[in-house]
Amino acid sequence: MEEAKLRQLLNSLTIEEKIGQLVQLSGEFYNASDISMGPQRKLGITQRMVDLSGSVLNVAGARQIHRLQEAHLAKGGHAIPLLFMSDIVYGYKTVYPIPLGMGASWDPALIKKAYENAAEEAYAGGQQVAFAPMVDLVHDARWGRVLESTGEDPYLNAQFAKAMVGGFQSGLKNGKGIVSCVKHFAGYGAVEAGREYNSADMSISNLYQDYLPSYKAAVQAGAKMVMTSLTTLNGVPATADKWLLSDLLRKQWGFNGVVISDYASIYELTQHGFAADEQDAAYKALDAGVDIDMKSPCYANGLKPLLADGRLSEKKIDAAVWRVLSLKNELCLFEDPFRGSSEALEKANLLTPAKRQLARRVSQEAMVLLKNQRHLLPLDRSSHHQVALIGPYADEYKMLGLWAIHGDPKDTITFKQGVGEYLDASRLTVEKGTDIIRDADFFAESGRPEDQANSQISDSATEKKHHDSAIAAAKRADIIIFAGGEHTLQSGEAGSRTKLRLPDNQQRLLDELATLGKPVISVIISGRPLVLTDVLADSDAVIQAWFPGIEGGHALADIIFGAYNPSGRLSMSMPAVEGQAPIYYNHLSTGRPEKTSQHVGRFVSRYTDAPTGPLFPFGYGLSYGEVTYHQPTIDQSQISSAQSVTISVPVENAGDIDRTETIQLYLHDEVASIVQPVKRLIDFKREVIPAGKTVTVSFEVKAQQLGFYNQRGEYVIEPGKFELMVGPNSDETQAVEFSLKD
Ligand code: BGC
């Protein structure tokens, strides 16, 4: 529709019709009039508002979406098509590993393709907006939503944010693809103590330096929608933060898309004690810059009285409605309210072999080999060894993680299936050994007591049978593969935990397996970095598999049998004990660093009862074979602000197998007006280093990259000495120095 016509449409709307465009409800409101009475009554909005609402949350599938859209348009009046939005966080039907796993791939180009595929599937099914990527930077493994993040580094996160937005939206130019809604703006990842929905407090320089870059990268990559955070940032709820939503996002960053609240977060302004009542909440959110109210009664009931009171101007409402209508128009919904989606298109596009193949690749790249003593891995499939695959994830298809809401776990290749493709049945025994979790209270605490009733906890006789069969199989075997980890409900939204270990029953089983004197390979499923200290002690090899997605079984087997040389590198530090959280590599320099302080013993920055450093640092991961990073060199020792330096490092593969290295470049500003991180990632390259070859990898660093954000949020570059550090992870680096002239 031409802009002038869209303007006319806006001007012809009644105030209720306008407000309707700013209201988003979930599917239950539309499915059938009898069910809709429930939530509607609870939310306290009228049927008229339901009829006028402008967008729908988390309804999936072409058939359903067509039915809703048709029914909506048949209501007559201005009949503005509904926008369908959904959480397509890491895949639609073809589910990939969780984003924390994608982060470990260090391969944004591959991830972009995965999101293109996700968009193609979702588009076929009638979706128009994905509530993703979630680009919140994370430091604290206690927070369940680290699952949805690509990790702890601002630079790496920004690369993924760009890739994910680009992937979702790349089809838009051809009338396909879907809109990306980046979330949760801003700072949700810093919730205090890792407790869900808690507050976030940080300095301005920290906010600009660490937390904002990924949102900014997403906006610069063209994300057309932004979701606010449920939390407060420096005392102000993000959903009503005018500075954040209007000054920074719209004015400074030039964002002109739609801002949506998070689920009920406008209503929750009253719970925060930031708004006196729902009407006041509606005022504060709209005034701050929130266009759409997701699943709360505040806009539906509050905006009209605010207008009547004169507290709010119609102009302000019009501006928000205009943005919503413009998005609908951009998606050509007025011309085709179904945007070409259909069940036939779904059949042709969902879960195709090519898409599954890509998911297998992402899953391979996401897995991180943490330990491989005496080169136990890869296993030789042609040897005559007997393998016992033991553990609650040995033959479990529920490996998609909490946010794969459109995926069907039954599409998952289990570890048993994957390993079974490499070993014939006479050499493989599979035993569950124990349940994932045996704590009935856990299911009640997770709000899902019915899961336990659905026999997730075996009775004690069955549990004993599982245990005894597993031990017997392990005794007969030459090699044990243990597959264990977190329950799906233990991570994801509202999955904060203080104990980050394997469930006790699993650890006990693993301890017992370790006493048998056979080589043990542990495969860990989780939505977060767990504390793997005890697992490590029991295992000769450890593979961190995350929630690996529908191709997890294939990918794992590819790694175990060497068809894929593991290349994953952690994008979040793994704590050695829970009490270290939050722990991250790019912390500020302290006055008493443990290793180099003039003080010794007690009076340095450390714990008295635990190591200071993580169990595995950011960037860490093993591959098969041997590489050596030789001494890096730099082409200049001094540059001016218009110049750049080039650092080069020869990486030698002394082994007999090709491997992919992620060569990581870190920077340290030696003296600055704000204390700087001990190191921070500024670039990386994923390179294949062929067996027996040395590849020299170079990075050009421009003076512009040497700056940081000060306490006023300004990017400043200060002359002086800098260190460039290069290596295979954030810990094992070699440094060269140079300086920037005045
Ligand atoms: C989550 C968002 C999600 C929304 C809609 C909220 O609870 O915080 O990330 O997009 O629900 O499902």
Side-chain angles (χ1 to χ4, degrees), residues 57-58 87 131 145 183-184 227 230 262-263 403 493:
L57 156 73
N58 282 345
D87 289 286
F131 291 138
R145 297 196 87 163
K183 65 191 188 186
H184 308 85
M227 186 189 292
L230 292 158
D262 198 352
Y263 198 102
W403 262 121
E493 184 170 351

Side-chain angles (χ1 to χ4, degrees), residues 305 308 431 472 672:
E431 291 292 345

Side-chain angles (χ1 to χ4, degrees), residues 623-635:
S623 302
Y624 303 144
E626 301 288 336
V627 291
T628 309
Y629 284 61
H630 292 286
Q631 178 61 42
T633 54
I634 193 162
D635 66 342

Side-chain angles (χ1 to χ4, degrees), residues 183 252 268 320 370 382 418 435 438 538 546 572 630 694 726:
K183 65 191 188 186
Q252 280 189 43
E268 287 167 20
L370 295 173
S382 60
D435 297 325
R438 287 190 58 73
D538 281 344
W546 315 110
M572 191 175 178
H630 292 286
T694 298
V726 70

Side-chain angles (χ1 to χ4, degrees), residues 437-453 456-457 487 489 494:
I437 209 157
R438 287 190 58 73
D439 176 4
D441 291 347
F442 162 75
F443 291 102
E445 285 283 325
S446 306
R448 302 270 278 268
E450 71 280 8
D451 278 333
Q452 179 217 338
Q456 294 213 20
I457 302 187
H487 190 280
L489 293 174

